[in-house]
mmCIF file of all heavy atoms in Angstrom:
data_model
loop_
_atom_site.group_PDB
_atom_site.id
_atom_site.type_symbol
_atom_site.label_atom_id
_atom_site.label_comp_id
_atom_site.label_asym_id
_atom_site.label_seq_id
_atom_site.Cartn_x
_atom_site.Cartn_y
_atom_site.Cartn_z
ATOM 1 N N MET Q 527 -49.213 -4.027 72.142
ATOM 2 C CA MET Q 527 -48.167 -3.036 72.393
ATOM 3 C C MET Q 527 -48.223 -2.730 73.886
ATOM 4 O O MET Q 527 -49.313 -2.560 74.443
ATOM 5 C CB MET Q 527 -48.411 -1.748 71.616
ATOM 6 C CG MET Q 527 -48.201 -1.836 70.125
ATOM 7 S SD MET Q 527 -46.489 -2.130 69.622
ATOM 8 C CE MET Q 527 -45.674 -0.670 70.283
ATOM 9 N N ILE Q 528 -47.076 -2.672 74.523
ATOM 10 C CA ILE Q 528 -46.999 -2.269 75.923
ATOM 11 C C ILE Q 528 -46.089 -1.040 75.996
ATOM 12 O O ILE Q 528 -44.903 -1.112 75.648
ATOM 13 C CB ILE Q 528 -46.428 -3.378 76.826
ATOM 14 C CG1 ILE Q 528 -47.165 -4.706 76.616
ATOM 15 C CG2 ILE Q 528 -46.495 -2.936 78.288
ATOM 16 C CD1 ILE Q 528 -48.584 -4.742 77.107
ATOM 17 N N TRP Q 529 -46.668 0.072 76.423
ATOM 18 C CA TRP Q 529 -45.926 1.336 76.526
ATOM 19 C C TRP Q 529 -46.167 1.904 77.911
ATOM 20 O O TRP Q 529 -47.316 1.932 78.382
ATOM 21 C CB TRP Q 529 -46.428 2.303 75.452
ATOM 22 C CG TRP Q 529 -45.749 3.643 75.461
ATOM 23 C CD1 TRP Q 529 -44.481 3.927 75.029
ATOM 24 C CD2 TRP Q 529 -46.302 4.898 75.903
ATOM 25 N NE1 TRP Q 529 -44.214 5.270 75.184
ATOM 26 C CE2 TRP Q 529 -45.311 5.885 75.723
ATOM 27 C CE3 TRP Q 529 -47.537 5.263 76.447
ATOM 28 C CZ2 TRP Q 529 -45.522 7.225 76.056
ATOM 29 C CZ3 TRP Q 529 -47.748 6.595 76.771
ATOM 30 C CH2 TRP Q 529 -46.744 7.561 76.574
ATOM 31 N N ASN Q 530 -45.094 2.335 78.594
ATOM 32 C CA ASN Q 530 -45.279 2.816 79.965
ATOM 33 C C ASN Q 530 -44.728 4.216 80.203
ATOM 34 O O ASN Q 530 -44.398 4.571 81.336
ATOM 35 C CB ASN Q 530 -44.708 1.806 80.971
ATOM 36 C CG ASN Q 530 -43.188 1.663 80.874
ATOM 37 O OD1 ASN Q 530 -42.523 2.366 80.117
ATOM 38 N ND2 ASN Q 530 -42.645 0.736 81.653
ATOM 39 N N ASN Q 531 -44.649 5.005 79.129
ATOM 40 C CA ASN Q 531 -44.297 6.424 79.263
ATOM 41 C C ASN Q 531 -42.986 6.594 80.039
ATOM 42 O O ASN Q 531 -42.903 7.379 80.982
ATOM 43 C CB ASN Q 531 -45.440 7.182 79.954
ATOM 44 C CG ASN Q 531 -45.266 8.700 79.878
ATOM 45 O OD1 ASN Q 531 -44.766 9.217 78.890
ATOM 46 N ND2 ASN Q 531 -45.677 9.403 80.916
ATOM 47 N N GLY Q 532 -41.984 5.832 79.612
ATOM 48 C CA GLY Q 532 -40.684 5.949 80.263
ATOM 49 C C GLY Q 532 -40.663 5.433 81.681
ATOM 50 O O GLY Q 532 -39.908 5.934 82.519
ATOM 51 N N ALA Q 533 -41.492 4.408 81.964
ATOM 52 C CA ALA Q 533 -41.596 3.849 83.319
ATOM 53 C C ALA Q 533 -41.924 4.946 84.330
ATOM 54 O O ALA Q 533 -41.297 5.084 85.376
ATOM 55 C CB ALA Q 533 -40.316 3.102 83.705
ATOM 56 N N SER Q 534 -42.951 5.708 84.000
ATOM 57 C CA SER Q 534 -43.291 6.915 84.750
ATOM 58 C C SER Q 534 -43.793 6.644 86.168
ATOM 59 O O SER Q 534 -43.765 7.529 87.016
ATOM 60 C CB SER Q 534 -44.380 7.694 84.002
ATOM 61 O OG SER Q 534 -45.602 6.953 83.987
ATOM 62 N N GLY Q 535 -44.306 5.443 86.398
ATOM 63 C CA GLY Q 535 -44.859 5.137 87.713
ATOM 64 C C GLY Q 535 -46.269 5.659 87.927
ATOM 65 O O GLY Q 535 -46.799 5.571 89.038
ATOM 66 N N LYS Q 536 -46.904 6.155 86.861
ATOM 67 C CA LYS Q 536 -48.252 6.715 86.990
ATOM 68 C C LYS Q 536 -49.285 5.949 86.154
ATOM 69 O O LYS Q 536 -50.376 5.653 86.620
ATOM 70 C CB LYS Q 536 -48.243 8.188 86.590
ATOM 71 C CG LYS Q 536 -47.402 9.052 87.509
ATOM 72 C CD LYS Q 536 -47.391 10.506 87.057
ATOM 73 C CE LYS Q 536 -46.535 11.360 87.996
ATOM 74 N NZ LYS Q 536 -46.471 12.766 87.548
ATOM 75 N N PHE Q 537 -48.946 5.664 84.901
ATOM 76 C CA PHE Q 537 -49.866 4.941 84.030
ATOM 77 C C PHE Q 537 -49.062 4.175 82.999
ATOM 78 O O PHE Q 537 -47.887 4.460 82.752
ATOM 79 C CB PHE Q 537 -50.849 5.901 83.348
ATOM 80 C CG PHE Q 537 -50.241 6.721 82.238
ATOM 81 C CD1 PHE Q 537 -50.372 6.337 80.906
ATOM 82 C CD2 PHE Q 537 -49.519 7.876 82.514
ATOM 83 C CE1 PHE Q 537 -49.802 7.079 79.875
ATOM 84 C CE2 PHE Q 537 -48.960 8.633 81.493
ATOM 85 C CZ PHE Q 537 -49.094 8.237 80.176
ATOM 86 N N PHE Q 538 -49.725 3.180 82.392
ATOM 87 C CA PHE Q 538 -49.118 2.457 81.283
ATOM 88 C C PHE Q 538 -50.223 2.078 80.308
ATOM 89 O O PHE Q 538 -51.419 2.138 80.643
ATOM 90 C CB PHE Q 538 -48.333 1.233 81.764
ATOM 91 C CG PHE Q 538 -49.174 0.085 82.253
ATOM 92 C CD1 PHE Q 538 -49.270 -1.088 81.513
ATOM 93 C CD2 PHE Q 538 -49.872 0.165 83.449
ATOM 94 C CE1 PHE Q 538 -50.041 -2.153 81.962
ATOM 95 C CE2 PHE Q 538 -50.641 -0.893 83.912
ATOM 96 C CZ PHE Q 538 -50.725 -2.056 83.159
ATOM 97 N N CYS Q 539 -49.831 1.713 79.105
ATOM 98 C CA CYS Q 539 -50.799 1.433 78.038
ATOM 99 C C CYS Q 539 -50.619 0.015 77.512
ATOM 100 O O CYS Q 539 -49.692 -0.251 76.734
ATOM 101 C CB CYS Q 539 -50.632 2.430 76.884
ATOM 102 S SG CYS Q 539 -50.958 4.150 77.327
ATOM 103 N N PRO Q 540 -51.478 -0.920 77.942
ATOM 104 C CA PRO Q 540 -51.552 -2.227 77.287
ATOM 105 C C PRO Q 540 -52.508 -2.102 76.109
ATOM 106 O O PRO Q 540 -53.710 -1.944 76.283
ATOM 107 C CB PRO Q 540 -52.104 -3.132 78.393
ATOM 108 C CG PRO Q 540 -52.905 -2.215 79.273
ATOM 109 C CD PRO Q 540 -52.395 -0.816 79.090
ATOM 110 N N GLU Q 541 -51.966 -2.148 74.897
ATOM 111 C CA GLU Q 541 -52.731 -1.781 73.706
ATOM 112 C C GLU Q 541 -53.058 -3.019 72.870
ATOM 113 O O GLU Q 541 -52.169 -3.581 72.231
ATOM 114 C CB GLU Q 541 -51.934 -0.799 72.846
ATOM 115 C CG GLU Q 541 -51.422 0.413 73.596
ATOM 116 C CD GLU Q 541 -50.349 1.149 72.807
ATOM 117 O OE1 GLU Q 541 -50.431 1.174 71.563
ATOM 118 O OE2 GLU Q 541 -49.408 1.685 73.436
ATOM 119 N N PRO Q 542 -54.315 -3.457 72.850
ATOM 120 C CA PRO Q 542 -54.692 -4.549 71.949
ATOM 121 C C PRO Q 542 -54.737 -4.043 70.513
ATOM 122 O O PRO Q 542 -55.324 -3.002 70.223
ATOM 123 C CB PRO Q 542 -56.081 -4.953 72.448
ATOM 124 C CG PRO Q 542 -56.634 -3.713 73.076
ATOM 125 C CD PRO Q 542 -55.469 -2.948 73.624
ATOM 126 N N GLN Q 543 -54.106 -4.782 69.615
ATOM 127 C CA GLN Q 543 -53.929 -4.326 68.237
ATOM 128 C C GLN Q 543 -54.186 -5.495 67.288
ATOM 129 O O GLN Q 543 -53.649 -6.580 67.485
ATOM 130 C CB GLN Q 543 -52.491 -3.802 68.090
ATOM 131 C CG GLN Q 543 -52.170 -3.122 66.792
ATOM 132 C CD GLN Q 543 -50.878 -2.324 66.890
ATOM 133 O OE1 GLN Q 543 -50.708 -1.498 67.781
ATOM 134 N NE2 GLN Q 543 -49.954 -2.570 65.980
ATOM 135 N N THR Q 544 -55.014 -5.273 66.268
ATOM 136 C CA THR Q 544 -55.311 -6.369 65.345
ATOM 137 C C THR Q 544 -54.093 -6.753 64.515
ATOM 138 O O THR Q 544 -53.872 -7.920 64.231
ATOM 139 C CB THR Q 544 -56.466 -6.007 64.390
ATOM 140 O OG1 THR Q 544 -56.125 -4.825 63.656
ATOM 141 C CG2 THR Q 544 -57.774 -5.808 65.146
ATOM 142 N N ASN Q 545 -53.323 -5.764 64.111
ATOM 143 C CA ASN Q 545 -52.277 -6.000 63.113
ATOM 144 C C ASN Q 545 -50.890 -5.660 63.630
ATOM 145 O O ASN Q 545 -50.717 -4.820 64.512
ATOM 146 C CB ASN Q 545 -52.544 -5.186 61.858
ATOM 147 C CG ASN Q 545 -52.600 -3.689 62.125
ATOM 148 O OD1 ASN Q 545 -53.573 -3.196 62.679
ATOM 149 N ND2 ASN Q 545 -51.564 -2.967 61.735
ATOM 150 N N LEU Q 546 -49.901 -6.308 63.039
ATOM 151 C CA LEU Q 546 -48.511 -5.963 63.250
ATOM 152 C C LEU Q 546 -48.256 -4.536 62.767
ATOM 153 O O LEU Q 546 -48.844 -4.084 61.772
ATOM 154 C CB LEU Q 546 -47.632 -6.942 62.464
ATOM 155 C CG LEU Q 546 -46.119 -6.723 62.436
ATOM 156 C CD1 LEU Q 546 -45.529 -6.860 63.829
ATOM 157 C CD2 LEU Q 546 -45.463 -7.711 61.472
ATOM 158 N N VAL Q 547 -47.382 -3.825 63.457
ATOM 159 C CA VAL Q 547 -46.935 -2.509 63.000
ATOM 160 C C VAL Q 547 -46.478 -2.606 61.540
ATOM 161 O O VAL Q 547 -45.782 -3.543 61.158
ATOM 162 C CB VAL Q 547 -45.779 -2.011 63.889
ATOM 163 C CG1 VAL Q 547 -45.148 -0.748 63.314
ATOM 164 C CG2 VAL Q 547 -46.269 -1.761 65.310
ATOM 165 N N ASN Q 548 -46.891 -1.636 60.716
ATOM 166 C CA ASN Q 548 -46.460 -1.547 59.309
ATOM 167 C C ASN Q 548 -46.908 -2.740 58.471
ATOM 168 O O ASN Q 548 -46.340 -3.025 57.412
ATOM 169 C CB ASN Q 548 -44.922 -1.407 59.240
ATOM 170 C CG ASN Q 548 -44.427 -0.821 57.936
ATOM 171 O OD1 ASN Q 548 -45.070 0.054 57.343
ATOM 172 N ND2 ASN Q 548 -43.288 -1.289 57.477
ATOM 173 N N ALA Q 549 -47.959 -3.432 58.920
ATOM 174 C CA ALA Q 549 -48.364 -4.695 58.292
ATOM 175 C C ALA Q 549 -48.590 -4.613 56.779
ATOM 176 O O ALA Q 549 -48.181 -5.525 56.054
ATOM 177 C CB ALA Q 549 -49.618 -5.234 58.982
ATOM 178 N N PRO Q 550 -49.245 -3.568 56.228
ATOM 179 C CA PRO Q 550 -49.497 -3.583 54.788
ATOM 180 C C PRO Q 550 -48.228 -3.562 53.942
ATOM 181 O O PRO Q 550 -48.279 -3.899 52.746
ATOM 182 C CB PRO Q 550 -50.314 -2.301 54.564
ATOM 183 C CG PRO Q 550 -50.904 -1.975 55.883
ATOM 184 C CD PRO Q 550 -49.878 -2.417 56.875
ATOM 185 N N ASN Q 551 -47.109 -3.170 54.530
ATOM 186 C CA ASN Q 551 -45.862 -3.071 53.772
ATOM 187 C C ASN Q 551 -44.937 -4.265 53.997
ATOM 188 O O ASN Q 551 -43.803 -4.265 53.525
ATOM 189 C CB ASN Q 551 -45.136 -1.776 54.165
ATOM 190 C CG ASN Q 551 -46.001 -0.553 53.924
ATOM 191 O OD1 ASN Q 551 -46.591 -0.401 52.864
ATOM 192 N ND2 ASN Q 551 -46.095 0.321 54.918
ATOM 193 N N ILE Q 552 -45.423 -5.279 54.691
ATOM 194 C CA ILE Q 552 -44.603 -6.446 55.009
ATOM 195 C C ILE Q 552 -44.973 -7.589 54.067
ATOM 196 O O ILE Q 552 -46.149 -7.908 53.885
ATOM 197 C CB ILE Q 552 -44.794 -6.855 56.481
ATOM 198 C CG1 ILE Q 552 -44.191 -5.760 57.376
ATOM 199 C CG2 ILE Q 552 -44.165 -8.210 56.772
ATOM 200 C CD1 ILE Q 552 -44.486 -5.927 58.841
ATOM 201 N N THR Q 553 -43.969 -8.169 53.454
ATOM 202 C CA THR Q 553 -44.187 -9.262 52.505
ATOM 203 C C THR Q 553 -43.541 -10.534 53.035
ATOM 204 O O THR Q 553 -42.668 -10.500 53.907
ATOM 205 C CB THR Q 553 -43.590 -8.921 51.127
ATOM 206 O OG1 THR Q 553 -42.180 -8.641 51.281
ATOM 207 C CG2 THR Q 553 -44.278 -7.695 50.536
ATOM 208 N N GLY Q 554 -43.993 -11.668 52.501
ATOM 209 C CA GLY Q 554 -43.367 -12.941 52.821
ATOM 210 C C GLY Q 554 -43.791 -13.552 54.139
ATOM 211 O O GLY Q 554 -43.219 -14.551 54.576
ATOM 212 N N VAL Q 555 -44.794 -12.947 54.796
ATOM 213 C CA VAL Q 555 -45.306 -13.484 56.056
ATOM 214 C C VAL Q 555 -46.806 -13.709 55.883
ATOM 215 O O VAL Q 555 -47.497 -12.849 55.311
ATOM 216 C CB VAL Q 555 -45.049 -12.509 57.231
ATOM 217 C CG1 VAL Q 555 -45.506 -13.123 58.544
ATOM 218 C CG2 VAL Q 555 -43.585 -12.123 57.302
ATOM 219 N N PRO Q 556 -47.347 -14.831 56.339
ATOM 220 C CA PRO Q 556 -48.783 -15.067 56.176
ATOM 221 C C PRO Q 556 -49.607 -13.930 56.778
ATOM 222 O O PRO Q 556 -49.342 -13.470 57.892
ATOM 223 C CB PRO Q 556 -49.018 -16.382 56.934
ATOM 224 C CG PRO Q 556 -47.694 -17.067 56.923
ATOM 225 C CD PRO Q 556 -46.663 -15.987 56.977
ATOM 226 N N ALA Q 557 -50.599 -13.489 56.010
ATOM 227 C CA ALA Q 557 -51.417 -12.361 56.445
ATOM 228 C C ALA Q 557 -52.095 -12.638 57.784
ATOM 229 O O ALA Q 557 -52.218 -11.747 58.628
ATOM 230 C CB ALA Q 557 -52.463 -12.032 55.373
ATOM 231 N N GLU Q 558 -52.519 -13.886 57.989
ATOM 232 C CA GLU Q 558 -53.199 -14.226 59.241
ATOM 233 C C GLU Q 558 -52.265 -14.031 60.427
ATOM 234 O O GLU Q 558 -52.683 -13.572 61.485
ATOM 235 C CB GLU Q 558 -53.702 -15.673 59.181
ATOM 236 C CG GLU Q 558 -54.502 -16.126 60.385
ATOM 237 C CD GLU Q 558 -55.858 -15.439 60.499
ATOM 238 O OE1 GLU Q 558 -56.387 -14.966 59.475
ATOM 239 O OE2 GLU Q 558 -56.383 -15.383 61.628
ATOM 240 N N GLU Q 559 -50.996 -14.360 60.254
ATOM 241 C CA GLU Q 559 -50.026 -14.249 61.346
ATOM 242 C C GLU Q 559 -49.827 -12.804 61.781
ATOM 243 O O GLU Q 559 -49.656 -12.516 62.968
ATOM 244 C CB GLU Q 559 -48.682 -14.855 60.905
ATOM 245 C CG GLU Q 559 -47.600 -14.780 61.967
ATOM 246 C CD GLU Q 559 -46.277 -15.351 61.467
ATOM 247 O OE1 GLU Q 559 -46.300 -16.312 60.674
ATOM 248 O OE2 GLU Q 559 -45.229 -14.824 61.875
ATOM 249 N N ILE Q 560 -49.851 -11.875 60.827
ATOM 250 C CA ILE Q 560 -49.599 -10.475 61.170
ATOM 251 C C ILE Q 560 -50.892 -9.667 61.306
ATOM 252 O O ILE Q 560 -50.860 -8.450 61.495
ATOM 253 C CB ILE Q 560 -48.653 -9.797 60.152
ATOM 254 C CG1 ILE Q 560 -49.225 -9.810 58.728
ATOM 255 C CG2 ILE Q 560 -47.292 -10.452 60.196
ATOM 256 C CD1 ILE Q 560 -48.383 -9.021 57.736
ATOM 257 N N GLY Q 561 -52.030 -10.346 61.233
ATOM 258 C CA GLY Q 561 -53.297 -9.652 61.459
ATOM 259 C C GLY Q 561 -53.690 -8.720 60.335
ATOM 260 O O GLY Q 561 -54.412 -7.738 60.555
ATOM 261 N N LEU Q 562 -53.217 -9.011 59.123
ATOM 262 C CA LEU Q 562 -53.554 -8.174 57.972
ATOM 263 C C LEU Q 562 -54.727 -8.826 57.237
ATOM 264 O O LEU Q 562 -54.555 -9.772 56.480
ATOM 265 C CB LEU Q 562 -52.344 -8.041 57.039
ATOM 266 C CG LEU Q 562 -52.548 -7.185 55.793
ATOM 267 C CD1 LEU Q 562 -52.888 -5.745 56.159
ATOM 268 C CD2 LEU Q 562 -51.305 -7.220 54.903
#
Side-chain angles (χ1 to χ4, degrees):
M527 289 293 299
I528 309 291
W529 180 74
N530 66 4
N531 191 35
S534 67
K536 296 179 180 178
F537 74 98
F538 72 109
C539 297
E541 308 165 34
Q543 188 165 307
T544 58
N545 59 286
L546 175 64
V547 171
N548 201 36
N551 302 312
I552 292 171
T553 58
V555 184
E558 184 69 24
E559 180 182 326
I560 60 174
L562 180 61

